[in-house]
Amino acid sequence: MASFEPIVFPDAARSDLEVTIGQLVEQAQLVLSTQGRLRSLIYANRLVVEGLELAEVLRSIVQAAVDLVDARYGALGVIGTDGRLEQFIHVGMSGAVAESIGHLPLGDGLLGAVIDEAHAIRLDHLNQDPRSVGFPDHHPAMEGFLGVPIRVRGEVFGNLYLTEPTSGSFSAEDEELVGVLAVTAGIAIENARLFDIARRRERWSAALADVSSALLSGDSDTLSVVVDHVASLVDADLVCIVVAADAEGLLDVAAARGVDSELMLGQRYAAEGSLVGRALASGEPVLVTRQEPGEVVEWQPGLGPTFVVPLEAFGHSIGALSVSRSVDRAPFSITDLAMASEFAAQASVALELARGRLDREALELLDDRSRIARDLHDHVIQRLFGAGLSLQSAAGRAPGAVGDAIREQVDAIDDAISEIRTVIFALSPPSRPDASVRHRLLDVVSEVGAAMAAPPRLSFSGPVDLLIRGTIADDVIAVVRESVSNVARHARATRCEIQVSVGDHEIRVQIDDDGIGYSPDSRASGTANLAARAADLGGDYLIAARVEGGTRVLWRAPLIESSTAMGGHV
Amino acid sequence: MIRVFLVDDHEIVRRGIAELIDAENDLEVVGESATVARTLGRVRATTPDVVVLDVRLPDGNGIDLCREVRSADPQVRCIILTAYDDDEASRAAVLAGASGYVLKDIRGQKLIESIRRVGAGESLMRRDVTRQVVADLATVSTPSMPELSLRERQVLDLIAEGLTNRQIGERLKLAEKTVKNYVSGLLAKLGMERRTQAAVFGASVKPPRA
């Protein structure tokens, strides 16, 4: 195909027509290009409003803005409650470059200027602007700059930042187009947020239903179910449930999940000065951005954003839910807090109901135990006793060897009666558990003796609860605890028998085992203390090998009759 | 000769004890009963020196029964014979106004010796034990059972002195029945009521804590 050069008439002036045509063509091209840009804008708008996930929406906004004005770099900075940049989503910069810069911009210099002024800033040479603070190391050079605020419901949500346009500098038209995109972006962000809230509400409701059914089915540890759900719902790193301890002014960490939860679980600490203490005292949620390690108590790990919600049901406090993120993480949103509070309120009701059910079960168990104790007393002991009496009188009439054999059986029946008596006692609900040294001894023996092959046997004789009181009760418990744990640790015994008796004039604690025997060095530490306790009371402490093997510990203290007379016939 | 009356709802127990007592030259069993209802009349008829009675009986408790026996005739002495432990038996004996208690042990039991001593007018109750039982009763206080009133406290002190219901009534200018009501209140306070009344237990009284 032939090509035609434009015909040029030398020295001839350009006709008006030519000029006009030229202008028309230029206009047409301008219109075309404007039309093209408007089409890009519409396309960008559509991209932006399509997404529902907030993170995805933010990224598509930046990408659409970069495409719209043909910039090399673009970013969206989300402004946090402190007025600085909380999130920074950027495109155009490779991961390696971004990594070599290190931290994300905080919102100083020009980025901050857009935040402060809350209107668009457009520059051809950003580093010549007095508000610029320069770039950090490894940051690529940038010249042309356009920053436009994004408003959501009238409040500045964040800013769009664009740099390095292909054309060299941003035009007024670019500014206008990005401004329009920012309006759409605001609406898209609002939508994404609403969607997020709706979806999270749905997840909270589902979680609540889970918790309620788990609590009411009753096969799981109720508090753990709650902390598990909360941890996943608010994307927290540490969730604890703290309850008031049985001692005044103290708190117990009753359940914990997540980072450092093993540090927290089972801890007891003073309510005063703590976040939970504040929440419980005010009945209102408490919110902090961070807490240093050991700020309230020494074992406490460092906490990032944290909130504490009181748990209350049917007008009384159950405890508090404490939810934390790590130090470097984003703070909780108002929505998180609101939903966690709502969740806490409803979970509290479920917890109360679950506790009611456990109480009822405990009552039933107690009834069962009482019934068993009653049967043992009313039937078993009486029959053994009656049979024993007959045997004993038979033994008196029987010839020597047979009589001895019968007497041996009578002894065995007596031992059985004594054991049943202890069982009846353990099964009966204590009328004054705090004043019962026998209940405390049963607890200590089952705790310390748990490590032994066979559970130690504990028997009482004499009015033990009535006469072993106060500091002497503490002494007796210390003797039993120390001695039984020595047997469990060192003696390799298969049997251990503890007898606590109150005679007419003395208290006597005897611990027998059938172990490898006593070696002074292995048990030296605690025994000196036991001897000292006995000596203080005017008693004594002996530890010796038994003839039949094993060791006998004998601790005795005199009963001191108080001089105040009761009067009367006794 | 010391005359002994036995109250126990288990025949095998009564038989065993009777055998034991009759083997002694200076002791004799003059009567037996298995229930509260049958006891008072038979005791009046047989005029024993010592009544040996269990705390738990099918139709009532041995503590109230013991007080009634003694109220009717202060010369009759009582020994509580029980399968409970020393602590429980001590409380029961103090409230019952008994001269002592014996546990249902076979070999270690001092029943014969105790009957002789009580028959001779001796009290086997320890002063320190009695004092502690009274002190505990005076200070136990729960929401459902507040501390003792002045009246209850006076009744308790006179019980500890070994007075019968009639004597307490005369001393405090109260009807004997009123004194009985105070005693029931004290039993309830110790949780003794539900541990001593086999028949009604569990139906109405719930344990105090879960």
Side-chain angles (χ1 to χ4, degrees):
Chain A
M1 193 162 47
S3 68
F4 297 91
E5 294 284 315
I7 300 162
V8 177
F9 298 93
D11 305 315
R14 289 170 101 187
S15 72
D16 285 351
L17 183 63
E18 276 182 311
V19 171
T20 310
I21 288 172
Q23 282 173 344
L24 274 174
V25 169
E26 216 169 277
Q27 272 309 122
Q29 269 169 350
L30 213 62
V31 168
L32 268 179
S33 114
T34 308
Q35 211 170 30
R37 299 207 72 181
L38 283 174
R39 193 171 293 128
S40 305
L41 179 63
I42 291 166
Y43 179 67
N45 277 341
R46 208 178 68 206
L47 274 187
V48 165
V49 296
E50 259 175 3
L52 271 177
E53 293 278 355
L54 187 59
E56 175 198 317
V57 167
L58 296 180
R59 183 155 295 281
S60 73
I61 290 169
V62 186
Q63 192 60 56
V66 164
D67 292 346
L68 187 61
V69 296
D70 203 8
R72 183 164 176 200
Y73 303 108
L76 197 160
V78 178
I79 300 169
T81 44
D82 58 354
R84 299 179 64 114
L85 291 181
E86 178 187 287
Q87 278 186 73
F88 195 78
I89 299 112
H90 56 92
V91 302
M93 199 178 286
S94 73
V97 174
E99 201 165 306
S100 66
I101 299 172
H103 63 89
L104 291 170
L106 301 166
D108 297 321
L110 262 178
L111 302 186
V114 183
I115 298 173
D116 296 339
E117 296 176 17
H119 64 73
I121 295 178
R122 178 162 58 92
L123 301 166
D124 288 343
H125 304 284
L126 66 86
N127 44 9
Q128 284 171 17
D129 191 274
R131 292 167 294 192
S132 168
V133 292
F135 291 118
D137 292 345
H138 311 292
H139 196 282
M142 292 181 180
E143 280 282 323
F145 174 88
L146 176 59
V148 178
I150 298 174
R151 289 187 172 78
V152 175
R153 291 193 164 215
E155 296 217 351
V156 178
F157 167 84
N159 297 308
L160 257 176
Y161 302 111
L162 299 156
T163 57
E164 292 293 281
T166 315
S167 59
S169 61
F170 291 112
S171 63
E173 195 180 80
D174 289 334
E175 185 180 326
E176 210 173 316
L177 286 173
V178 175
V180 173
L181 180 65
V183 172
T184 315
I187 295 165
I189 290 168
E190 171 70 3
N191 279 342
R193 277 177 160 183
L194 289 174
F195 176 71
D196 189 43
I197 291 172
R199 202 177 36 180
R200 269 198 285 179
R201 199 171 286 281
E202 199 174 305
R203 279 165 54 205
W204 280 102
S205 307
L208 191 63
D210 272 8
V211 167
S212 303
S213 69
L215 294 185
L216 295 174
S217 76
D219 9 273
S220 37
D221 171 10
T222 53
L223 298 179
S224 299
V225 174
V226 174
V227 291
D228 277 345
H229 276 85
V230 172
S232 70
L233 283 169
V234 290
D235 188 19
D237 297 307
L238 175 65
V239 178
C240 301
I241 287 181
V242 181
V243 298
D246 44 22
E248 184 77 12
L250 293 179
L251 300 170
D252 283 334
V253 181
R257 273 295 179 284
V259 184
D260 291 326
S261 58
E262 70 286 352
L263 265 179
M264 308 285 298
L265 191 61
Q267 291 283 5
R268 174 170 284 204
Y269 61 103
E272 185 157 358
S274 71
L275 296 178
V276 172
R278 274 162 58 193
L280 288 178
S282 65
E284 298 288 327
V286 170
L287 185 67
V288 294
T289 50
R290 66 180 297 167
Q291 211 172 41
E292 299 305 322
E295 191 174 317
V296 178
V297 275
E298 65 199 11
W299 45 263
Q300 167 203 353
L303 303 174
T306 297
F307 65 85
V308 179
V309 194
L311 298 172
E312 278 169 15
F314 309 121
H316 74 267
S317 168
I318 298 171
L321 177 71
S322 162
V323 183
S324 303
R325 283 182 181 157
S326 304
V327 173
D328 50 350
R329 295 196 47 207
F332 292 105
S333 66
I334 298 298
T335 325
D336 287 331
L337 188 60
M339 281 195 264
S341 302
E342 200 178 310
F343 181 81
Q346 302 197 33
S348 303
V349 173
L351 281 173
E352 263 310 276
L353 292 176
R355 194 161 72 175
R357 188 178 49 72
L358 287 180
D359 280 356
R360 202 164 52 245
E361 281 174 10
L363 262 177
E364 278 163 16
L365 179 67
L366 222 58
D367 274 354
D368 275 353
R369 290 177 154 203
S370 300
R371 187 179 47 70
I372 295 167
R374 213 161 53 236
D375 284 350
L376 286 173
H377 173 272
D378 291 352
H379 304 297
V380 181
I381 289 194
Q382 311 293 344
R383 282 183 200 173
L384 283 174
F385 179 62
L389 287 175
S390 309
L391 277 178
Q392 199 189 22
S393 73
R397 296 188 298 268
V402 178
D404 288 346
I406 295 175
R407 272 185 280 275
E408 240 172 69
Q409 292 311 308
V410 171
D411 282 346
I413 292 175
D414 254 351
D415 286 348
I417 290 178
S418 159
E419 272 172 38
I420 293 170
R421 207 173 270 141
T422 304
V423 170
I424 292 175
F425 172 75
L427 287 172
S428 307
S431 48
R432 305 188 75 182
D434 51 320
S436 167
V437 74
R438 289 187 294 165
H439 274 291
R440 291 169 67 193
L441 284 168
L442 282 169
D443 288 347
V444 165
V445 168
S446 69
E447 175 203 325
V448 182
M452 295 185 60
R457 282 154 43 130
L458 178 60
S459 62
F460 303 104
S461 102
V464 171
D465 279 348
L466 284 166
L467 296 185
I468 304 183
R469 293 283 173 103
T471 56
I472 296 194
D474 297 338
D475 288 337
V476 166
I477 284 160
V479 171
V480 170
R481 178 184 286 280
E482 176 68 26
S483 308
V484 175
S485 82
N486 275 337
V487 173
R489 278 202 306 257
H490 308 298
R492 284 183 239 153
T494 56
R495 284 173 67 91
C496 176
E497 289 194 23
I498 305 130
Q499 291 174 42
V500 177
S501 50
V502 173
D504 285 343
H505 305 292
E506 67 172 16
I507 294 167
R508 192 184 153 99
V509 181
Q510 181 175 310
I511 296 109
D512 289 344
D513 70 67
D514 64 349
I516 53 171
Y518 162 67
S519 80
D521 46 315
S522 68
R523 302 187 188 179
S525 55
T527 52
N529 171 33
L530 303 185
R533 281 173 186 261
D536 282 350
L537 297 165
D540 55 11
Y541 173 75
L542 308 161
I543 178 163
R546 294 162 73 208
V547 195
E548 57 270 54
T551 306
R552 165 166 295 177
V553 170
L554 182 59
W555 187 94
R556 290 185 298 190
L559 266 182
I560 300 144
E561 249 272 43
S562 148
S563 54
T564 20
M566 262 291 305
H569 79 133
V570 284
Chain B
M1 185 70 79
I2 297 172
R3 299 160 58 76
V4 183
F5 191 98
L6 299 178
V7 186
D8 197 298
D9 57 328
H10 293 85
E11 210 229 322
I12 186 172
V13 172
R14 288 200 309 276
R15 203 170 56 217
I17 292 171
E19 222 170 297
L20 213 61
I21 289 173
D22 288 336
E24 304 294 320
N25 294 327
D26 55 338
L27 308 178
E28 83 177 300
V29 176
V30 295
E32 289 180 15
S33 71
T35 60
V36 171
R38 293 282 170 85
T39 303
L40 281 175
R42 291 186 189 179
V43 166
R44 199 175 301 125
T46 53
T47 60
D49 301 304
V50 177
V51 175
V52 175
L53 73 173
D54 197 350
V55 182
R56 278 172 71 99
L57 294 166
D59 59 339
N61 75 68
I63 297 174
D64 284 336
L65 176 61
C66 180
R67 298 204 66 78
E68 288 191 33
V69 166
R70 301 222 343 107
S71 217
D73 180 0
Q75 294 307 308
V76 180
R77 311 251 165 206
C78 294
I79 294 175
I80 300 281
L81 176 68
T82 175
Y84 281 130
D85 53 50
D86 288 274
D87 287 291
E88 203 82 64
S90 301
R91 293 189 187 104
V94 169
L95 284 179
S99 299
Y101 70 87
V102 175
L103 298 190
K104 285 185 172 170
D105 282 327
I106 307 149
R107 299 284 285 181
Q109 66 142 306
K110 302 161 246 161
L111 183 60
I112 298 300
E113 187 206 337
S114 299
I115 292 173
R116 283 200 186 105
R117 286 171 61 189
V118 166
E122 201 179 328
S123 170
L124 308 178
M125 296 304 294
R126 296 169 61 151
R127 186 211 297 256
D128 49 358
V129 167
T130 304
R131 184 165 47 233
Q132 194 59 54
V133 170
V134 171
D136 283 355
L137 261 176
T139 54
V140 157
S141 119
T142 60
S144 57
M145 293 187 189
E147 272 191 39
L148 295 185
S149 66
L150 176 65
R151 228 4 154 203
E152 285 172 312
R153 179 70 220 221
Q154 287 173 325
V155 170
L156 177 61
D157 284 343
L158 294 175
I159 285 174
E161 281 183 28
L163 266 61
T164 67
N165 287 359
R166 181 170 297 165
Q167 290 164 337
I168 293 171
E170 284 161 7
R171 186 81 72 90
L172 297 179
K173 312 251 182 304
L174 295 171
E176 193 177 337
K177 198 163 163 50
T178 313
V179 177
K180 263 170 77 176
N181 290 340
Y182 280 123
V183 174
S184 301
L186 291 170
L187 287 180
K189 191 144 199 168
L190 264 190
M192 204 63 115
E193 195 123 72
R194 59 192 162 81
R195 282 198 282 270
T196 48
Q197 284 181 354
V200 297
F201 181 87
S204 57
V205 191
K206 285 283 176 197
R209 40 171 246 144

